[in-house]
Amino acid sequence: MPRLVMKFGGTSVANIERIRNVARHVKREVDAGYHVAVVVSAMSGKTNELVSWCRDAAPLYDTREYDVVVASGEQVTSGLLAVVLRNMGVPARSWQGWQIPILTDGAHSAARIQEIDGSNLADGFAKGEVAVISGFQGVHRETGRITTLGRGGSDTSAVAVAAAIGAERCDIYTDVDGVYTTDPRVVPQARRLPKVAFEEMLEMASLGAKVLQVRSVELAMVHRVRTFVRSSFEAPDAPQTDANGNPPGTLICDEEEIVEQQTVTGIAFSRDETQITIRRVADKPGVAASVFGPLTDGSINVDMIVQNISEDGRHTDITFTVPSADYERAMDVLGRLKEKIGYARVEGETNVAKVSVIGIGMRSHAGVAAQCFRSLAENGINIRAITTSEIKISVLIDAERVDEAVRALHVVYGLAG
């Protein structure tokens, strides 16, 4: 029998009635002839509550014990869903990360999956059982201690399990019915995309789209796991295939599956950005390494980088962006480096945002960047920094102009539904 992984996020399992709705979705796939593994998140708001308890208990908590606490949210959900399924006559059992086992490295609170042994799940399938798996968690292969995968880690759990058991596909059920050309709350005319290439989804996830966790997309791309983003709020007995025989929603897949490739697929944006500029740094070999090396050592993620040489040719200004959460730490690191680097001053700006144009069709079409810059200029939106790749263009702008910029770019690339 074919195997299917279904993942349900926190809003989908927020209370018992919604868990019953999830169970009806699962039963539908069991009745359709699938061996099903379900990966669940904690009930909506529960993880935040558990995290706050850890912080109240001790500001500098042990991350190993933190993982024990926050992993309990998914354990509750998996047990409840198994109870509901069994009450509906569907054989099911709950699985925790350490029972499967999902083996990870030792980076507590941000662990990465190293290996999954799917044989225990296969034994359960042979008995006709649905495997209800606690997402977001694993076990350190050396110490045997519980680990968690970072926020949004249940998506990663689901894709990794799908790869391990050779699932036909991985369905990610969430509170939206697919991936859109941009956030419909900003652009009401945004349309749902039937298919998105792995590379595009990876860029969109890393550049601000909240639909999937970045690591889950990476795993799906590496292991070629066909992934559907679907809505858990659709009726379980609603039609389950479109005109092409695919489930409703958005398919994340290989580029080769997408016959009609638009030049631009979507517009992503992130308000979680800050800009830092180091003024009058000596323009000599090794200066960039002396700036960005310590930031990397501090696990501070640097994104857009712009370097301008002064008129005298002996000094340079270096501008870059970091996530808002890393801003204070980055400024502290640079403050301690002033004597070593010998810069004049550091300037910071927190009222900035990043807007990105994404599409695999950009590889074979010229003029995409020019359209972007022209559109922003016509709307009087100043660009602070630019970074590009084969399939994306990102610009840093003033935060208060984000919605206007997204709407303008959405129109200029003809993305409206």
Side-chain angles (χ1 to χ4, degrees):
M1 293 172 64
R3 295 173 179 177
L4 173 68
V5 173
M6 307 171 72
K7 182 267 176 180
F8 293 89
T11 55
S12 303
V13 294
N15 52 47
I16 297 299
E17 188 51 45
R18 288 190 179 177
I19 289 175
R20 288 196 178 100
N21 184 63
V22 165
R24 289 190 283 271
H25 279 286
V26 174
K27 185 177 186 301
R28 180 195 66 234
E29 300 296 354
V30 172
D31 292 344
Y34 283 101
H35 285 313
V36 178
V38 189
V39 177
V40 292
S41 299
M43 299 166 90
S44 182
K46 179 55 66 176
T47 300
N48 287 339
E49 181 183 35
L50 295 170
V51 170
S52 70
W53 287 354
C54 289
R55 289 173 177 165
D56 288 346
L60 296 175
Y61 49 74
D62 186 321
T63 55
R64 295 168 297 183
E65 304 305 340
Y66 166 92
D67 279 355
V68 173
V69 174
V70 297
S72 66
E74 281 73 15
Q75 180 172 322
V76 170
T77 311
S78 64
L80 288 172
L81 179 55
V83 167
V84 170
L85 283 167
R86 293 177 71 88
N87 189 55
M88 293 171 58
V90 179
R93 68 151 288 183
S94 61
W95 291 89
Q96 312 315 312
W98 60 270
Q99 293 174 312
I100 294 174
I102 298 174
L103 302 174
T104 75
D105 61 19
H108 285 275
S109 79
R112 294 175 73 87
I113 296 173
Q114 295 182 330
E115 182 184 347
I116 297 180
D117 184 347
S119 57
N120 285 332
L121 297 179
D123 291 342
F125 292 150
K127 300 174 188 175
E129 288 180 343
V130 171
V132 186
I133 301 168
S134 297
F136 174 62
Q137 63 178 254
V139 58
H140 184 208
R141 65 187 312 153
E142 296 178 9
T143 65
R145 298 206 61 163
I146 292 172
T147 55
T148 62
L149 309 180
R151 299 306 291 263
S154 292
D155 287 351
T156 302
S157 301
V159 173
V161 167
I165 66 173
E168 181 179 288
R169 67 177 196 266
C170 178
D171 289 355
I172 305 289
Y173 286 81
T174 181
D175 53 0
V176 295
D177 63 351
V179 180
Y180 279 71
T181 50
T182 194
D183 189 336
R185 292 170 296 183
V186 175
V187 183
Q189 298 79 20
R191 61 183 174 82
R192 181 168 58 82
L193 297 161
K195 294 182 180 181
V196 178
F198 288 123
E199 287 181 84
E200 291 175 318
M201 192 67 240
L202 187 59
E203 291 283 13
M204 293 172 78
S206 64
L207 293 168
K210 307 296 184 184
V211 180
L212 290 174
Q213 189 204 41
V214 174
R215 179 61 181 149
S216 70
V217 184
E218 290 176 344
L219 280 174
M221 184 165 63
V222 169
H223 296 285
R224 292 298 185 259
V225 176
R226 298 173 85 246
T227 304
F228 281 90
V229 178
R230 309 178 57 177
S231 171
S232 63
F233 299 115
E234 291 182 353
D237 57 356
Q240 293 303 304
T241 56
D242 60 19
N244 298 314
N246 290 322
T250 298
L251 170 63
I252 317 301
C253 60
D254 273 321
E255 183 178 337
E256 289 73 19
E257 285 197 55
I258 303 175
V259 179
E260 294 291 333
Q261 295 179 358
Q262 281 194 276
T263 305
V264 171
T265 299
I267 312 294
F269 61 91
S270 171
R271 305 181 199 273
D272 182 34
E273 304 290 332
T274 57
Q275 175 182 300
I276 296 174
T277 299
I278 307 174
R279 299 292 187 188
R280 292 188 63 79
V281 182
D283 185 26
K284 60 183 180 181
V287 69
S290 67
V291 171
F292 297 116
L295 293 173
T296 299
D297 293 341
S299 299
I300 296 169
N301 182 38
V302 174
D303 185 16
M304 311 174 86
I305 301 173
V306 178
Q307 185 169 337
N308 296 313
I309 307 299
S310 64
E311 290 184 4
D312 62 18
R314 294 185 291 112
H315 296 89
T316 185
D317 293 341
I318 301 176
T319 299
F320 56 93
T321 62
V322 299
S324 299
D326 291 337
Y327 176 71
E328 295 296 341
R329 290 195 300 126
M331 293 294 277
D332 180 64
V333 169
L334 294 172
R336 288 185 273 112
L337 290 172
K338 182 171 184 179
E339 185 175 335
K340 178 181 178 181
I341 299 175
Y343 59 78
R345 64 186 184 278
V346 175
E347 299 172 356
E349 176 61 69
T350 58
N351 190 33
V352 296
K354 180 169 57 183
V355 177
S356 303
V357 177
I358 301 155
I360 52 177
M362 292 167 60
R363 289 177 178 147
S364 55
H365 289 78
V368 178
Q371 282 182 288
C372 172
F373 304 149
R374 187 183 306 115
S375 176
L376 295 177
E378 289 172 352
N379 285 274
I381 299 172
N382 185 52
I383 299 174
R384 292 169 169 263
I386 302 167
T387 185
T388 65
S389 74
E390 259 195 322
I391 65 169
K392 76 106 191 300
I393 302 160
S394 293
V395 295
L396 192 70
I397 63 174
D398 293 341
E400 61 268 19
R401 306 298 300 274
V402 167
D403 289 4
E404 187 181 350
V406 171
R407 293 186 190 112
L409 293 173
H410 201 264
V411 169
V412 80
Y413 292 116
L415 298 177

